Structures are given as C-alpha cells and as structure tokens.
Amino acid sequence: MASIKIRAKAEGGVTTVKALISHPMETGQRKDKSGAVIPAHFIQEVVCEHNGNNVMTALWGVAISKNPYLSFKFSGAKPGDSLQLTWVDNKGEKDSTKVQIS
Amino acid sequence: MTNTKRRTFLKGTMAAGAVSAAIGVGLLTPRMVLAAWPSAAFNAESVDAALNELLGSQQMEESDKIDIRAPDIAENGAVVPVTVTTDIANPESISIIARQNASPMVASFVLGSSTEGFVSTRIKLGKTSDVVAVVKANGKLYSTSKEVKVTIGGCGG
C-alpha cells in the first residue's frame, strides 16, 4: 500500500535499505487548540525480511519522528531477491510492502 | 438476480466482513502480534530502568567502536537525524536513548545475523539531550553518547 516507500540496493555484497513511512507518530503529549490531549498514535514495530529471513526488527517508541525514516545494511542478498517491510502501530493498524532488491 | 447485482451484494458483505475482522484484529493485535513490544522499557522514565527492562542490564561499557552521527545543534527537536555505526563483532541490537526525554528509550533495532552494525533514523528530542547509542553484543552492553543542543523542542507544544 501507499504508506511505505522503500529502496534496496545491493552493491559489493552489501544491501542498503532505505525506507520512508507515512505516519503521524503522535506522542500523546500534544494538545489540540481546545486543550484536549491528542491520543498517542505511533508505530511500535517494523519488521524487514529478506527472502523470508528476518534481517531487522525495529522497536519504536513515540520519540521517532513523524513520517519515519529508517536505513540499515545487511549482507548475503543479490539483485532480484525480495525484501518485505511490515509495520504495526499501537492501534493495531499495519501496512506491508514487498520490493525487489536492485 | 442479475450478475451485477449479485456482485454488488457480495462486495457489500465482504466489506462488512472485513470491517468487523479489522475491529477484532485491532482489539487483539497489541497483545497477540506485539507480544515483543516492550512497553515497560518505552514507558520507563529513567535510563537505567529502560535498559533493565529492554536489555536485562544497566551496566554499559564506554566503547570507541561505536560512532553516533547527529547534529551538534538541532534547530528543530522534532526531526533530529541520528546514525549509529559500530565495528563491534556480531552486534545483536542497537538501541537509541535520549537521556533528557520524558521517556528516554527512543528505539531499539534488533539485527539479524547478516545485518551490519549500522542504523539511521530520525528522532524527536524534547530539549537539549545526550543521545546514547547502546550496542548489545556477546551478552554485554557497549555505549557511546553525544550531546545534541536543541533550540525548539520536539515533544509537547
């Protein structure tokens, strides 16, 4: 779906993954104009799998910035392999996308 | 019933089914799927408590094999780019802590066996704070910290 932008590039045996997720990452500490607290709404877990093997599990709190960015590197993948990224937030909403490593 | 009507009818039922399924999942997910999400660590108000909850220890060894790249001065505390790189062999996880945030635990990245000691993300800092990178490897915790001065806070407001 549309909430994830991800790019994975294999170079010299190392794959660099860069991902951007659209998400409000609301802390639960902010107030709206009427003074009411805006409830927390944030991604708690991001899982990334290469050909079905887990290469990264990110556990996040509210202090990750709005529209989160995540980058990491792993070895052992080749161009054409599949990479899947899934996120789940504190309301149980989730999204997932699969890309081919270039 | 014509074919089109039947199709509309099916769509309607399926949509309704999906919604109720989603509600059910929404209610159950935090416990079922996120059993691994360590709420106690993320809600902890002290660095020691957060480390104990998440990594089972608060004993950290200063290490020059960890590099934190973050700005010296962040104009906007809501978006502070942080990159952690480590040369420590077989890192199991990299955690990022903002010492002066209300809840210091920012994020923890659990690395796979083929994943390198590198993560980059963007974090919120409520005010000027030491950003601490904690690397777990071989059952021990190693850390490095860097102060980031914040002119406009990223929490509350």
Side-chain angles (χ1 to χ4, degrees):
Chain A
M1 271 203 298
S3 78
I4 306 168
K5 271 187 203 162
I6 181 169
R7 209 181 306 165
K9 197 172 167 58
E11 226 166 8
V14 176
T15 303
T16 303
V17 182
K18 292 178 181 176
L20 257 180
I21 304 169
S22 306
H23 198 282
M25 295 303 285
E26 200 55 69
T27 61
Q29 292 170 34
R30 296 199 316 147
K31 288 174 182 166
D32 64 16
K33 279 175 188 160
S34 64
V37 173
I38 305 168
H41 185 200
F42 61 100
I43 294 175
Q44 291 186 316
E45 194 173 302
V46 182
V47 176
C48 207
E49 289 175 323
H50 161 238
N51 284 353
N53 293 318
N54 185 319
V55 285
M56 160 69 75
T57 302
L59 305 170
W60 286 354
V62 294
I64 291 291
S65 301
K66 180 180 175 180
N67 296 333
Y69 169 76
L70 166 67
S71 176
F72 65 94
K73 298 174 183 178
F74 69 98
S75 55
K78 54 186 188 303
D81 285 0
S82 86
L83 190 76
Q84 181 160 22
L85 186 140
T86 307
W87 62 257
V88 185
D89 71 18
N90 65 321
K91 293 185 178 175
E93 291 167 12
K94 56 175 83 182
D95 197 2
S96 183
T97 195
K98 206 176 218 177
V99 288
Q100 271 195 354
I101 296 169
S102 63
Chain B
M1 198 185 279
T2 67
N3 214 8
T4 10
K5 264 189 193 154
R6 181 172 169 274
R7 200 156 288 176
T8 324
F9 172 70
L10 276 174
K11 254 187 206 163
T13 357
M14 269 155 66
V19 168
S20 53
I23 292 167
V25 168
L27 287 169
L28 294 169
T29 307
R31 240 152 257 213
M32 287 166 67
V33 181
L34 292 175
W37 195 74
S39 59
F42 282 99
N43 293 331
E45 288 171 12
S46 77
V47 174
D48 286 351
L51 283 172
N52 272 324
E53 287 292 346
L54 188 72
L55 304 167
S57 167
Q58 62 189 59
Q59 301 299 323
M60 297 188 286
E61 194 177 301
E62 282 278 323
S63 170
D64 56 7
K65 287 184 168 179
I66 307 170
D67 178 52
I68 304 180
R69 232 175 314 148
D72 295 328
I73 298 174
E75 283 185 15
N76 182 359
V79 186
V80 181
V82 175
T83 300
V84 179
T85 316
T86 177
D87 295 334
I88 296 170
N90 306 319
E92 292 162 36
S93 73
I94 297 176
S95 305
I96 298 174
I97 289 167
R99 221 173 252 283
Q100 272 76 35
N101 272 8
S103 309
M105 181 59 66
V106 173
S108 187
F109 301 88
V110 183
L111 311 177
S113 55
S114 62
T115 311
E116 312 225 323
F118 166 91
V119 288
S120 183
T121 188
R122 299 190 296 222
I123 71 170
K124 294 175 200 162
L125 294 177
K127 55 185 171 195
T128 297
S129 174
D130 279 336
V131 175
V132 187
V134 182
V135 175
K136 184 174 187 180
N138 312 313
K140 283 178 85 175
L141 305 184
Y142 302 90
S143 75
T144 303
S145 68
K146 176 184 166 52
E147 192 193 43
V148 177
K149 288 196 160 60
V150 175
T151 31
I152 306 168
C155 301

